[in-house]
């Protein structure tokens, strides 16, 4: 059984992330979406909020689970029996950074392979930062994020502006 891990901040999850998840779940036997608690970032949503939003978005995907982790990805991957780290690529500019991370991970854990999956063209411009900027200024994010995320963004930014 090939278990893959798809790590990220997912602050919040976008339809681009869901595109990668949906396609990857058809390739791998089991997919773990791993929500990173990064001490170097100040997220809009807590790790548990991000986990719940992702779980809601992938509820129909039987071979996908969502977990929160901190520390080194390769340590977490080993603890969960993952043989593959999955990374999505939006543009060629992502490739250089992702390759550097993949080579570092391979040095630490040579038994774990990194697989790059390019996003679908319709989501190649999309990232969580763009989504948060649009929502922060009252723009519509419908079609960019799952409905539950859209609602939570409205709630989050309406409470900030009060």
């Amino acid at each position: 059984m090939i278990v893959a891990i798809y790590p990220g901040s997912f602050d919040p999850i976008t339809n681009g992330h869901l595109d990668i998840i949906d396609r990857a779940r058809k390739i791998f036997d089991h997919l773990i979406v791993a929500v990173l608690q990064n001490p170097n970032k100040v997220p809009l949503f807590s790790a548990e909020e991000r986990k719940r939003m992702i779980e809601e978005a992938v509820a129909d995907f039987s071979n996908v689970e969502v977990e929160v982790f901190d520390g080194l990805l390769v340590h977490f991957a080993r603890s969960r029996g993952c043989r593959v780290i999955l990374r999505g690529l939006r543009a060629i500019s992502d490739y250089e950074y992702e390759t550097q991370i993949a080579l570092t991970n391979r040095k630490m854990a040579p038994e774990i392979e990194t697989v790059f999956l390019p996003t679908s063209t319709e989501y190649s411009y999309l990232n969580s930062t763009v989504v948060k900027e649009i929502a922060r200024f009252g723009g519509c994010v419908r079609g960019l994020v799952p409905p539950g995320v859209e609602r939570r963004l409205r709630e989050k930014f309406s409470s900030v502006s009060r």
Side-chain angles (χ1 to χ4, degrees):
M1 182 160 110
I2 298 177
V3 178
I5 188 166
Y6 180 38
S9 298
F10 305 109
D11 186 38
I13 190 167
T14 69
N15 285 345
H17 294 126
L18 284 177
D19 171 62
I20 296 290
I21 292 167
D22 186 39
R23 291 166 47 220
R25 74 181 179 91
K26 297 169 187 169
I27 298 169
F28 302 105
D29 298 309
H30 189 75
L31 180 65
I32 299 170
V33 179
V35 178
L36 172 63
Q37 294 188 94
N38 186 339
N40 298 322
K41 290 186 177 182
V42 179
L44 178 63
F45 295 99
S46 73
E48 283 304 314
E49 287 174 310
R50 289 179 275 153
K51 179 183 181 200
R52 283 192 303 273
M53 287 188 285
I54 298 167
E55 286 173 335
E56 181 181 303
V58 302
D60 292 336
F61 301 162
S62 63
N63 65 332
V64 177
E65 70 176 296
V66 185
E67 293 191 33
V68 174
F69 82 102
D70 59 8
L72 288 176
L73 174 60
V74 293
H75 292 166
F76 180 71
R78 277 183 178 144
S79 76
R80 298 297 284 123
C82 295
R83 292 182 28 210
V84 175
I85 295 170
L86 175 67
R87 298 299 297 166
L89 298 176
R90 289 183 305 257
I92 195 69
S93 57
D94 289 344
Y95 181 77
E96 186 175 345
Y97 171 77
E98 293 294 346
T99 298
Q100 181 181 15
I101 300 300
L103 292 172
T104 303
N105 286 338
R106 182 184 297 158
K107 181 72 173 168
M108 292 184 290
E111 75 280 9
I112 301 173
E113 289 292 338
T114 298
V115 172
F116 297 129
L117 191 60
T119 190
S120 295
T121 306
E122 66 190 287
Y123 301 116
S124 62
Y125 65 93
L126 187 58
N127 65 46
S128 297
T129 302
V130 167
V131 166
K132 287 185 284 193
E133 270 311 281
I134 293 168
R136 175 177 284 114
F137 293 106
C140 179
V141 295
R142 183 172 295 121
L144 305 179
V145 295
V149 174
E150 180 183 2
R151 179 179 48 76
R152 286 180 181 91
L153 282 165
R154 272 195 315 270
E155 291 168 358
K156 187 72 79 169
F157 286 118
S158 69
S159 68
V160 169
S161 62
R162 287 182 191 154

